[in-house]
Amino acid sequence: MSLVSCKYCHKLHKRGTQCSMKPKAKVKRDKDYDKVYNSYRWKKVRDSVLKDNLYMCAICARQKGVVPRQATEVHHITYMTENIEGAYDRDNLLPLCSIHHREIHSNNLNNKNKIEKYFKINLEKEIEI
């Protein structure tokens, strides 16, 4: 098989090989999602959830011996694909650091029980400050 120069890593690969340096395709969101995430209402709810939780990651704050990271993202506990009306429901929102947000989505933890079991935490208990 012949070798070709890769435009992503500038090394030689066998023809037809997928280079690991090739950027991943961006996931296109549904128009309904864009309406929610671009709305003034979402931005207000998101900001108030972060502020009410003192900008602390809910998962970090509930793990013993862990210094909580700053929450910069808000996660929908029940995904919007299952409940678009719950997009603004504060009981369905969880302030998270980007690390835990990525971990939840990569492991498809799409409800409260799965999140609690995976991280061995109780989301109902008060955050100790």
Side-chain angles (χ1 to χ4, degrees), residues 15 33-34 45 51 54 79-80 99 109-110 118 128:
R15 187 174 300 280
Y33 288 3
D34 287 337
V45 169
K51 186 177 181 180
L54 306 173
Y79 293 166
M80 283 198 303
I99 293 168
L109 306 175
N110 60 351
Y118 183 85
E128 297 164 12

Side-chain angles (χ1 to χ4, degrees), residues 2 12 16 22 29 33 35 41-42 45 49 51 65-66 75 81 91 93 96 99 111 113 117 124 128-129:
S2 64
L12 295 176
K22 181 178 178 180
R29 286 199 298 217
Y33 288 3
K35 283 181 188 175
R41 182 179 174 196
W42 166 250
V45 169
V49 166
K51 186 177 181 180
V66 173
H75 173 69
T81 54
D91 293 333
L93 301 174
L96 296 174
I99 293 168
N111 66 45
N113 291 337
K117 226 181 250 186
E124 295 301 321
E128 297 164 12
I129 302 171

Side-chain angles (χ1 to χ4, degrees), residues 39-105:
S39 72
Y40 176 76
R41 182 179 174 196
W42 166 250
K43 291 173 185 173
K44 292 294 281 182
V45 169
R46 179 190 175 280
D47 290 344
S48 81
V49 166
L50 291 171
K51 186 177 181 180
D52 291 349
N53 288 279
L54 306 173
Y55 296 91
M56 284 194 301
C57 173
I59 293 173
C60 291
R62 287 171 173 85
Q63 291 178 324
K64 289 188 167 105
V66 173
V67 175
R69 287 186 286 271
Q70 182 179 14
T72 55
E73 302 174 13
V74 176
H75 173 69
H76 290 91
I77 297 170
T78 302
Y79 293 166
M80 283 198 303
T81 54
E82 299 167 26
N83 181 12
I84 195 78
E85 294 303 315
Y88 308 105
D89 180 9
R90 293 176 57 84
D91 293 333
N92 187 39
L93 301 174
L94 197 59
L96 296 174
C97 62
S98 59
I99 293 168
H100 282 128
H101 200 195
R102 249 181 282 129
E103 194 169 352
I104 284 173
H105 280 283

